[in-house]
Amino acid sequence: MVQYSETRLDASFAALSDATRRGVLEQLGRGDASITQLAGQFRMTLTGMKKHIGLLERAALVTTEKAGRVRTCRLGVRALEEEAAWIGRHRELWNARFDALDKIVEQLKSKEKADARRTKR
Amino acid sequence: MVQYSETRLDASFAALSDATRRGVLEQLGRGDASITQLAGQFRMTLTGMKKHIGLLERAALVTTEKAGRVRTCRLGVRALEEEAAWIGRHRELWNARFDALDKIVEQLKSKEKADARRTKR
DNA sequence: GCTATACTGAACCATTAGGTTCAGTACGTA
DNA sequence: TACGTACTGAACCTAATGGTTCAGTATAGC
């Protein structure tokens, strides 16, 4: 059975909970970028953007590399694998449960109709 | 095109970023539960659990209903649909990008080999 | 009606998030 | 070597988290 690292999931879902950071991920999906570029694009100070990048990095959703003065940010290689897995696993379980509930509701409904017919007579 | 509510995603990813709340969701997947039951199971005060439930409710991941003294919690009906959609959409985009990068790397590699052969002569 | 149960709300505490400013440090280039 | 660019780090601010305790309020059951 797959073992999910709780803290890793904590960090990455937290990272995804901010619109700016989701935007950054979207942007990095279109190509690597420096911190200055990202800061400019999201109208934010360098320092502010660096904090966001720090969180994304901690969650292993992006990696960075410094060449000269410039730190280049790119998507993490296994970005969103575990997160998708967690959500997928639970959706399956829950959908199964919702289906079961639907069936019960259906049964109740048809039973109701039957009862109604019986009382009419 | 589907319009994603930014704040809804904010709330639900934030809700998922805590191991206790993920546990609660898992538990509710197995059946409805009262706040007292959940608090007992996760070794927490009623008040503490109620806060978690509040966050999950705000994210529309669970719904609650009070009957008499007891508030019963159950999974939200469309739980995790949007979240899965967001992650899914981005994984597709990113995988496409990673594939493209792979190709480029491949091309560089074969070019390198060709160059090596050429210099040997 | 009394009592125990189940929740609710306010107040508090420590930590973190999401920003800022300001003062460096390090690197590229003229 | 001097200057501008790109980042880094510390310090600060406000708001939110993740908990707690304590003091209600409402309801089920004897």
Coordinates of all heavy atoms in Angstrom, one line a residue, chain A residues 22-106:
Chain A
R22 N -1.1 29.6 -7.2 CA -1.6 28.8 -8.3 C -1.3 29.5 -9.6 O -1.0 28.9 -10.6 CB -3.1 28.7 -8.1 CG -3.5 27.7 -7.0 CD -4.9 27.2 -7.1 NE -5.9 28.2 -7.1 CZ -6.4 28.8 -6.1 NH1 -6.0 28.5 -4.9 NH2 -7.3 29.8 -6.2
G23 N -1.4 30.9 -9.6 CA -1.0 31.6 -10.8 C 0.5 31.4 -11.2 O 0.8 31.2 -12.4
V24 N 1.3 31.4 -10.2 CA 2.8 31.2 -10.4 C 2.9 29.8 -11.1 O 3.7 29.7 -12.1 CB 3.6 31.3 -9.1 CG1 5.0 30.8 -9.3 CG2 3.6 32.8 -8.7
L25 N 2.3 28.8 -10.5 CA 2.4 27.4 -11.1 C 2.0 27.4 -12.5 O 2.6 26.8 -13.4 CB 1.6 26.5 -10.3 CG 2.1 26.1 -8.9 CD1 1.2 25.2 -8.1 CD2 3.5 25.5 -9.0
E26 N 0.8 28.1 -12.8 CA 0.3 28.2 -14.1 C 1.3 28.8 -15.1 O 1.6 28.3 -16.2 CB -1.0 29.0 -14.1 CG -1.9 28.8 -15.3 CD -3.4 28.8 -14.9 OE1 -3.7 29.0 -13.7 OE2 -4.2 28.6 -15.8
Q27 N 1.9 29.9 -14.6 CA 2.9 30.6 -15.4 C 4.1 29.7 -15.6 O 4.6 29.6 -16.8 CB 3.3 31.9 -14.6 CG 4.3 32.8 -15.4 CD 3.8 33.2 -16.7 OE1 2.6 33.5 -16.9 NE2 4.6 33.2 -17.7
L28 N 4.6 29.1 -14.6 CA 5.8 28.2 -14.8 C 5.5 27.0 -15.7 O 6.4 26.5 -16.3 CB 6.3 27.7 -13.4 CG 6.9 28.8 -12.5 CD1 7.4 28.2 -11.2 CD2 8.0 29.6 -13.2
G29 N 4.2 26.7 -15.8 CA 3.8 25.7 -16.7 C 4.0 26.1 -18.2 O 4.2 25.3 -19.1
R30 N 4.1 27.4 -18.4 CA 4.3 27.9 -19.7 C 5.8 28.2 -20.0 O 6.2 28.5 -21.1 CB 3.5 29.2 -19.9 CG 2.0 29.0 -20.1 CD 1.3 30.2 -20.6 NE 1.0 31.2 -19.6 CZ -0.1 31.2 -18.8 NH1 -1.0 30.3 -19.0 NH2 -0.3 32.1 -17.9
G31 N 6.6 28.1 -18.9 CA 8.0 28.3 -19.1 C 8.7 28.8 -17.8 O 8.0 29.4 -17.0
D32 N 10.0 28.5 -17.7 CA 10.7 28.9 -16.5 C 10.7 30.5 -16.4 O 10.5 31.2 -17.4 CB 12.1 28.4 -16.6 CG 12.2 26.9 -16.7 OD1 11.1 26.3 -16.5 OD2 13.3 26.4 -17.0
A33 N 10.9 30.9 -15.2 CA 10.9 32.4 -15.0 C 11.8 32.7 -13.8 O 12.0 31.9 -12.9 CB 9.5 32.9 -14.7
S34 N 12.4 34.0 -13.8 CA 13.1 34.4 -12.6 C 12.2 35.0 -11.6 O 11.0 35.3 -11.9 CB 14.1 35.5 -13.1 OG 13.4 36.7 -13.4
I35 N 12.7 35.2 -10.4 CA 11.9 35.8 -9.4 C 11.4 37.2 -9.7 O 10.3 37.6 -9.5 CB 12.6 35.8 -8.0 CG1 12.9 34.3 -7.6 CG2 11.9 36.5 -6.9 CD1 13.5 34.1 -6.3
T36 N 12.3 38.0 -10.3 CA 12.0 39.3 -10.7 C 10.9 39.3 -11.7 O 9.9 40.1 -11.6 CB 13.2 40.0 -11.4 OG1 14.3 40.1 -10.4 CG2 12.9 41.4 -11.9
Q37 N 10.9 38.4 -12.7 CA 9.9 38.3 -13.7 C 8.5 38.0 -13.0 O 7.5 38.7 -13.3 CB 10.2 37.2 -14.7 CG 11.3 37.6 -15.7 CD 11.7 36.5 -16.6 OE1 11.5 35.3 -16.2 NE2 12.4 36.8 -17.7
L38 N 8.5 37.1 -12.2 CA 7.3 36.7 -11.5 C 6.7 37.8 -10.6 O 5.5 38.1 -10.6 CB 7.5 35.4 -10.7 CG 7.8 34.1 -11.5 CD1 8.2 33.0 -10.5 CD2 6.5 33.7 -12.3
A39 N 7.7 38.4 -9.9 CA 7.2 39.6 -9.0 C 6.6 40.6 -9.9 O 5.5 41.2 -9.5 CB 8.4 40.1 -8.3
G40 N 7.2 40.9 -11.0 CA 6.6 42.0 -11.9 C 5.2 41.6 -12.4 O 4.3 42.4 -12.3
Q41 N 5.1 40.3 -12.8 CA 3.9 39.9 -13.4 C 2.7 39.9 -12.3 O 1.6 40.1 -12.7 CB 4.1 38.5 -13.8 CG 3.1 38.0 -14.8 CD 3.5 36.7 -15.5 OE1 4.7 36.4 -15.5 NE2 2.6 36.0 -16.1
F42 N 3.0 39.6 -11.1 CA 2.0 39.5 -10.1 C 2.0 40.8 -9.2 O 1.4 40.8 -8.1 CB 2.2 38.3 -9.2 CG 1.8 37.0 -10.0 CD1 2.8 36.4 -10.7 CD2 0.5 36.5 -10.0 CE1 2.5 35.2 -11.5 CE2 0.2 35.4 -10.8 CZ 1.2 34.7 -11.5
R43 N 2.6 41.9 -9.7 CA 2.6 43.2 -9.0 C 2.9 43.0 -7.5 O 2.1 43.3 -6.7 CB 1.2 43.8 -9.1 CG 0.6 43.6 -10.5 CD 0.6 44.9 -11.1 NE 0.5 44.7 -12.6 CZ -0.1 45.6 -13.4 NH1 -0.6 46.7 -12.9 NH2 -0.1 45.4 -14.7
M44 N 4.1 42.6 -7.2 CA 4.5 42.3 -5.9 C 6.0 42.6 -5.7 O 6.7 42.6 -6.7 CB 4.2 40.8 -5.7 CG 4.3 40.4 -4.2 SD 3.9 38.6 -4.2 CE 2.1 38.7 -4.5
T45 N 6.4 42.9 -4.5 CA 7.8 43.1 -4.3 C 8.6 41.8 -4.5 O 8.0 40.7 -4.4 CB 8.1 43.6 -2.9 OG1 7.6 42.6 -1.9 CG2 7.4 44.9 -2.6
L46 N 9.9 41.9 -4.8 CA 10.7 40.8 -5.0 C 10.7 39.9 -3.7 O 10.5 38.7 -3.8 CB 12.2 41.2 -5.1 CG 12.8 41.2 -6.5 CD1 14.3 41.6 -6.3 CD2 12.7 39.8 -7.0
T47 N 10.8 40.6 -2.6 CA 10.8 39.8 -1.3 C 9.5 39.0 -1.1 O 9.5 37.9 -0.7 CB 10.9 40.8 -0.1 OG1 12.0 41.7 -0.4 CG2 11.3 40.1 1.1
G48 N 8.4 39.7 -1.5 CA 7.1 39.0 -1.4 C 7.1 37.7 -2.2 O 6.7 36.6 -1.8
M49 N 7.5 37.9 -3.5 CA 7.4 36.7 -4.4 C 8.4 35.7 -3.9 O 8.1 34.5 -4.0 CB 7.8 37.2 -5.8 CG 7.8 36.1 -6.8 SD 6.3 35.1 -6.9 CE 5.1 36.2 -7.6
K50 N 9.5 36.1 -3.4 CA 10.5 35.1 -2.9 C 9.9 34.2 -1.8 O 10.1 33.0 -1.7 CB 11.7 35.8 -2.4 CG 13.0 34.9 -2.7 CD 14.2 35.3 -1.8 CE 15.0 34.0 -1.6 NZ 15.3 33.9 -0.2
K51 N 9.0 34.8 -1.0 CA 8.4 34.0 0.1 C 7.5 33.0 -0.5 O 7.5 31.8 -0.1 CB 7.6 34.9 1.0 CG 8.4 35.6 2.0 CD 7.5 36.2 3.1 CE 8.3 37.0 4.1 NZ 7.4 37.5 5.2
H52 N 6.7 33.4 -1.5 CA 5.8 32.4 -2.2 C 6.6 31.3 -2.8 O 6.3 30.1 -2.7 CB 5.0 33.1 -3.3 CG 3.9 33.9 -2.8 ND1 2.9 33.4 -2.0 CD2 3.5 35.2 -2.9 CE1 2.0 34.3 -1.7 NE2 2.4 35.5 -2.2
I53 N 7.7 31.7 -3.5 CA 8.5 30.6 -4.1 C 9.1 29.7 -3.1 O 9.1 28.5 -3.3 CB 9.7 31.3 -4.9 CG1 9.1 32.1 -6.1 CG2 10.6 30.2 -5.5 CD1 8.4 31.4 -7.1
G54 N 9.4 30.3 -1.9 CA 9.9 29.5 -0.8 C 8.9 28.4 -0.4 O 9.3 27.2 -0.2
L55 N 7.6 28.8 -0.3 CA 6.6 27.9 0.1 C 6.4 26.8 -1.0 O 6.3 25.6 -0.7 CB 5.3 28.6 0.3 CG 5.2 29.4 1.6 CD1 3.8 30.0 1.7 CD2 5.5 28.6 2.8
L56 N 6.4 27.2 -2.2 CA 6.2 26.3 -3.3 C 7.4 25.3 -3.4 O 7.2 24.1 -3.7 CB 6.1 27.0 -4.7 CG 4.8 27.8 -4.9 CD1 4.9 28.7 -6.1 CD2 3.7 26.8 -5.1
E57 N 8.6 25.8 -3.1 CA 9.7 24.9 -3.1 C 9.7 23.9 -1.9 O 10.0 22.7 -2.1 CB 11.0 25.8 -2.9 CG 12.1 25.4 -3.9 CD 13.3 26.3 -3.8 OE1 13.1 27.5 -3.3 OE2 14.4 25.9 -4.1
R58 N 9.3 24.4 -0.8 CA 9.1 23.5 0.4 C 8.2 22.4 0.1 O 8.3 21.3 0.6 CB 8.7 24.3 1.6 CG 9.4 24.0 2.8 CD 9.0 24.9 4.0 NE 7.5 24.7 4.3 CZ 6.9 25.5 5.1 NH1 7.5 26.6 5.7 NH2 5.6 25.3 5.3
A59 N 7.2 22.7 -0.7 CA 6.2 21.7 -1.1 C 6.6 20.9 -2.3 O 5.9 20.0 -2.8 CB 4.8 22.4 -1.4
A60 N 7.8 21.1 -2.7 CA 8.4 20.4 -3.9 C 7.6 20.6 -5.2 O 7.6 19.8 -6.0 CB 8.6 18.9 -3.6
L61 N 6.8 21.7 -5.2 CA 6.0 21.9 -6.4 C 6.9 22.7 -7.5 O 6.6 22.6 -8.7 CB 4.8 22.7 -6.1 CG 3.7 21.9 -5.3 CD1 2.6 22.8 -4.9 CD2 3.2 20.7 -6.2
V62 N 7.9 23.4 -7.0 CA 8.8 24.0 -7.9 C 10.2 23.8 -7.4 O 10.4 23.5 -6.2 CB 8.6 25.6 -8.1 CG1 7.2 25.9 -8.3 CG2 9.2 26.3 -6.9
T63 N 11.2 23.9 -8.3 CA 12.6 23.8 -7.9 C 13.2 25.1 -8.5 O 12.7 25.7 -9.4 CB 13.3 22.7 -8.6 OG1 13.3 22.8 -10.0 CG2 12.7 21.3 -8.1
T64 N 14.3 25.5 -7.9 CA 15.0 26.7 -8.3 C 16.5 26.5 -8.4 O 17.0 25.6 -7.8 CB 14.8 27.9 -7.4 OG1 15.5 27.7 -6.2 CG2 13.3 28.1 -7.0
E65 N 17.1 27.4 -9.2 CA 18.5 27.2 -9.4 C 19.1 28.6 -9.7 O 18.5 29.4 -10.4 CB 18.7 26.3 -10.7 CG 20.1 25.7 -10.8 CD 20.2 24.8 -12.0 OE1 19.1 24.6 -12.6 OE2 21.2 24.3 -12.3
K66 N 20.2 28.9 -9.0 CA 20.8 30.2 -9.2 C 22.0 30.2 -10.1 O 22.9 29.4 -10.0 CB 21.2 30.8 -7.8 CG 21.5 32.3 -7.9 CD 21.4 32.9 -6.6 CE 21.6 34.4 -6.7 NZ 21.5 35.1 -5.4
A67 N 21.9 31.0 -11.1 CA 23.0 31.2 -12.1 C 23.4 32.6 -12.1 O 22.6 33.5 -12.5 CB 22.6 30.7 -13.5
G68 N 24.5 33.0 -11.7 CA 24.9 34.4 -11.6 C 24.0 35.1 -10.6 O 23.9 34.6 -9.5
R69 N 23.5 36.2 -11.0 CA 22.6 36.9 -10.1 C 21.2 36.3 -10.1 O 20.4 36.6 -9.2 CB 22.5 38.4 -10.5 CG 23.7 39.2 -10.3 CD 23.5 40.6 -10.8 NE 23.2 40.7 -12.2 CZ 23.1 41.8 -12.9 NH1 23.3 43.0 -12.3 NH2 22.9 41.8 -14.2
V70 N 20.9 35.6 -11.1 CA 19.5 35.2 -11.4 C 19.1 33.9 -10.8 O 19.8 32.9 -11.1 CB 19.2 35.3 -12.9 CG1 17.7 34.9 -13.2 CG2 19.5 36.7 -13.4
R71 N 18.0 33.8 -10.1 CA 17.5 32.5 -9.6 C 16.3 32.2 -10.5 O 15.3 32.9 -10.6 CB 17.0 32.6 -8.2 CG 16.4 31.3 -7.7 CD 16.1 31.3 -6.2 NE 17.3 31.4 -5.4 CZ 18.2 30.4 -5.1 NH1 17.9 29.2 -5.6 NH2 19.2 30.7 -4.4
T72 N 16.4 31.1 -11.2 CA 15.4 30.6 -12.2 C 14.5 29.6 -11.5 O 15.0 28.7 -10.9 CB 16.0 30.0 -13.4 OG1 16.9 31.0 -14.0 CG2 15.0 29.6 -14.4
C73 N 13.2 29.8 -11.7 CA 12.2 28.9 -11.1 C 11.6 28.0 -12.2 O 11.3 28.5 -13.2 CB 11.1 29.7 -10.4 SG 11.7 31.0 -9.3
R74 N 11.4 26.7 -11.9 CA 10.8 25.8 -12.8 C 9.9 24.9 -12.0 O 10.0 24.7 -10.8 CB 11.7 25.1 -13.7 CG 12.7 24.2 -12.9 CD 13.5 23.3 -13.9 NE 14.0 24.0 -15.0 CZ 15.2 24.6 -15.1 NH1 16.0 24.5 -14.0 NH2 15.6 25.3 -16.1
L75 N 8.9 24.3 -12.7 CA 8.1 23.3 -12.1 C 8.8 22.1 -11.5 O 9.8 21.7 -12.2 CB 7.0 22.8 -13.1 CG 5.9 23.7 -13.5 CD1 5.0 23.0 -14.4 CD2 5.1 24.1 -12.2
G76 N 8.4 21.6 -10.4 CA 9.0 20.4 -9.8 C 8.6 19.2 -10.7 O 7.6 19.3 -11.4
V77 N 9.5 18.2 -10.8 CA 9.3 17.2 -11.8 C 8.1 16.4 -11.5 O 7.3 16.0 -12.4 CB 10.5 16.3 -11.9 CG1 10.4 15.4 -13.1 CG2 11.8 17.1 -11.9
R78 N 7.9 16.0 -10.2 CA 6.7 15.2 -9.9 C 5.6 16.0 -9.4 O 4.7 15.5 -8.6 CB 7.1 14.1 -8.9 CG 8.3 13.2 -9.4 CD 8.3 11.9 -8.6 NE 7.1 11.1 -8.7 CZ 6.8 10.5 -9.9 NH1 7.6 10.6 -10.9 NH2 5.7 9.8 -9.9
A79 N 5.5 17.3 -9.9 CA 4.5 18.2 -9.4 C 3.1 17.6 -9.5 O 2.7 17.1 -10.5 CB 4.5 19.5 -10.2
L80 N 2.4 17.6 -8.3 CA 0.9 17.3 -8.3 C 0.6 15.8 -8.4 O -0.5 15.4 -8.3 CB 0.1 18.0 -9.3 CG 0.1 19.6 -9.1 CD1 -0.8 20.2 -10.2 CD2 -0.4 19.9 -7.8
E81 N 1.6 14.9 -8.5 CA 1.4 13.5 -8.5 C 0.6 13.0 -7.3 O -0.4 12.5 -7.3 CB 2.7 12.7 -8.7 CG 3.4 13.0 -10.0 CD 2.7 12.3 -11.2 OE1 2.2 11.2 -11.0 OE2 2.7 13.0 -12.2
E82 N 1.2 13.3 -6.1 CA 0.7 12.8 -4.9 C -0.7 13.5 -4.6 O -1.6 12.8 -4.1 CB 1.6 13.1 -3.7 CG 2.8 12.2 -3.7 CD 3.7 12.5 -2.4 OE1 3.2 13.0 -1.4 OE2 4.9 12.2 -2.5
E83 N -0.8 14.7 -4.9 CA -2.0 15.5 -4.6 C -3.2 14.9 -5.4 O -4.2 14.6 -4.9 CB -1.8 16.9 -4.9 CG -0.7 17.6 -4.1 CD 0.7 17.2 -4.4 OE1 0.9 16.8 -5.6 OE2 1.5 17.3 -3.5
A84 N -2.9 14.7 -6.7 CA -3.9 14.1 -7.6 C -4.3 12.7 -7.0 O -5.4 12.3 -7.0 CB -3.4 14.0 -9.0
A85 N -3.3 11.9 -6.6 CA -3.5 10.6 -6.1 C -4.4 10.6 -4.9 O -5.4 9.9 -4.8 CB -2.2 9.9 -5.7
W86 N -4.2 11.5 -4.0 CA -5.0 11.6 -2.7 C -6.4 11.9 -3.1 O -7.4 11.2 -2.7 CB -4.4 12.7 -1.8 CG -5.1 12.6 -0.4 CD1 -4.7 11.9 0.6 CD2 -6.3 13.3 0.0 NE1 -5.6 12.1 1.7 CE2 -6.6 12.9 1.3 CE3 -7.2 14.1 -0.7 CZ2 -7.7 13.4 2.0 CZ3 -8.4 14.5 0.0 CH2 -8.6 14.2 1.3
I87 N -6.6 13.0 -3.9 CA -7.9 13.4 -4.3 C -8.6 12.3 -5.1 O -9.8 11.9 -4.8 CB -7.9 14.7 -5.1 CG1 -7.5 15.9 -4.2 CG2 -9.2 15.0 -5.8 CD1 -7.8 17.2 -4.8
G88 N -7.9 11.7 -6.0 CA -8.5 10.6 -6.8 C -9.0 9.5 -5.9 O -10.1 9.0 -6.1
R89 N -8.1 9.1 -5.0 CA -8.5 7.9 -4.1 C -9.8 8.2 -3.4 O -10.7 7.4 -3.3 CB -7.3 7.7 -3.1 CG -7.4 6.4 -2.4 CD -6.0 6.1 -1.8 NE -5.6 7.1 -0.9 CZ -5.7 7.1 0.5 NH1 -6.2 6.1 1.0 NH2 -5.2 8.1 1.2
H90 N -9.9 9.5 -2.8 CA -11.1 9.8 -2.0 C -12.3 10.0 -2.9 O -13.4 9.6 -2.5 CB -10.8 11.0 -1.2 CG -9.9 10.6 0.0 ND1 -8.5 10.5 -0.2 CD2 -10.1 10.3 1.2 CE1 -8.0 10.2 1.0 NE2 -8.9 10.0 1.8
R91 N -12.1 10.5 -4.1 CA -13.3 10.7 -4.9 C -13.9 9.3 -5.2 O -15.1 9.1 -5.2 CB -12.9 11.4 -6.2 CG -12.8 12.9 -6.0 CD -12.6 13.6 -7.3 NE -13.7 13.5 -8.2 CZ -13.7 13.7 -9.5 NH1 -12.5 13.8 -10.1 NH2 -14.8 13.7 -10.2
E92 N -13.0 8.4 -5.5 CA -13.5 7.0 -5.8 C -14.4 6.5 -4.6 O -15.5 6.1 -4.8 CB -12.4 6.1 -6.0 CG -12.0 5.9 -7.5 CD -10.8 5.0 -7.6 OE1 -10.7 4.0 -6.9 OE2 -9.9 5.3 -8.4
L93 N -13.8 6.5 -3.4 CA -14.5 6.0 -2.3 C -15.8 6.7 -2.1 O -16.8 6.1 -1.9 CB -13.6 6.2 -1.0 CG -12.4 5.4 -0.9 CD1 -11.6 5.8 0.3 CD2 -12.7 3.9 -0.8
W94 N -15.8 8.0 -2.2 CA -17.0 8.8 -1.9 C -18.0 8.6 -3.0 O -19.2 8.5 -2.7 CB -16.6 10.3 -1.8 CG -15.7 10.5 -0.7 CD1 -15.3 9.6 0.3 CD2 -15.0 11.7 -0.3 NE1 -14.4 10.1 1.2 CE2 -14.2 11.4 0.8 CE3 -14.9 13.0 -0.9 CZ2 -13.4 12.4 1.4 CZ3 -14.1 13.9 -0.3 CH2 -13.4 13.6 0.9
N95 N -17.6 8.5 -4.3 CA -18.6 8.3 -5.3 C -19.3 7.0 -5.1 O -20.5 6.9 -5.2 CB -17.9 8.4 -6.7 CG -17.6 9.8 -7.1 OD1 -18.3 10.7 -6.6 ND2 -16.7 10.0 -8.0
A96 N -18.5 6.0 -4.7 CA -19.1 4.7 -4.4 C -20.2 4.9 -3.3 O -21.3 4.4 -3.4 CB -18.0 3.7 -3.9
R97 N -19.8 5.7 -2.3 CA -20.8 5.9 -1.2 C -22.0 6.6 -1.7 O -23.1 6.3 -1.4 CB -20.1 6.7 -0.1 CG -21.0 6.9 1.0 CD -20.3 7.1 2.4 NE -21.4 7.4 3.3 CZ -21.8 8.6 3.7 NH1 -21.1 9.6 3.3 NH2 -22.8 8.7 4.5
F98 N -21.8 7.7 -2.5 CA -22.9 8.5 -3.0 C -23.8 7.6 -3.9 O -25.0 7.7 -3.8 CB -22.4 9.7 -3.8 CG -21.8 10.7 -3.0 CD1 -20.7 11.4 -3.4 CD2 -22.4 11.1 -1.7 CE1 -20.2 12.4 -2.6 CE2 -21.9 12.1 -0.9 CZ -20.7 12.7 -1.4
D99 N -23.2 6.7 -4.7 CA -24.0 5.8 -5.5 C -24.9 4.9 -4.6 O -26.1 4.7 -4.8 CB -23.1 4.9 -6.3 CG -22.5 5.7 -7.4 OD1 -22.9 6.9 -7.6 OD2 -21.6 5.2 -8.1
A100 N -24.3 4.4 -3.5 CA -25.0 3.6 -2.6 C -26.2 4.3 -2.0 O -27.3 3.8 -1.9 CB -24.1 3.1 -1.5
L101 N -25.9 5.6 -1.6 CA -27.0 6.4 -1.1 C -28.1 6.6 -2.1 O -29.3 6.5 -1.8 CB -26.4 7.8 -0.6 CG -25.6 7.7 0.7 CD1 -25.1 9.1 1.0 CD2 -26.5 7.2 1.8
D102 N -27.7 6.9 -3.3 CA -28.7 7.0 -4.4 C -29.6 5.8 -4.5 O -30.8 6.0 -4.6 CB -28.0 7.2 -5.7 CG -27.5 8.7 -5.9 OD1 -27.8 9.5 -5.0 OD2 -26.7 8.9 -6.8
K103 N -29.0 4.7 -4.4 CA -29.8 3.4 -4.5 C -30.8 3.4 -3.4 O -31.9 3.0 -3.6 CB -28.9 2.2 -4.5 CG -28.7 1.6 -5.8 CD -27.8 0.4 -5.8 CE -26.9 0.3 -7.0 NZ -25.7 -0.6 -6.8
I104 N -30.3 3.7 -2.2 CA -31.2 3.6 -1.0 C -32.4 4.6 -1.2 O -33.5 4.2 -1.0 CB -30.4 4.0 0.3 CG1 -29.5 2.8 0.6 CG2 -31.4 4.2 1.4 CD1 -28.5 3.1 1.7
V105 N -32.0 5.8 -1.7 CA -33.1 6.8 -1.9 C -34.1 6.2 -2.9 O -35.3 6.3 -2.7 CB -32.5 8.1 -2.4 CG1 -33.6 9.1 -2.8 CG2 -31.6 8.7 -1.3
E106 N -33.5 5.7 -4.0 CA -34.4 5.1 -5.0 C -35.4 4.1 -4.4 O -36.6 4.1 -4.7 CB -33.6 4.4 -6.1 CG -33.0 5.4 -7.2 CD -34.1 6.3 -7.7 OE1 -35.1 5.8 -8.2 OE2 -33.9 7.5 -7.7

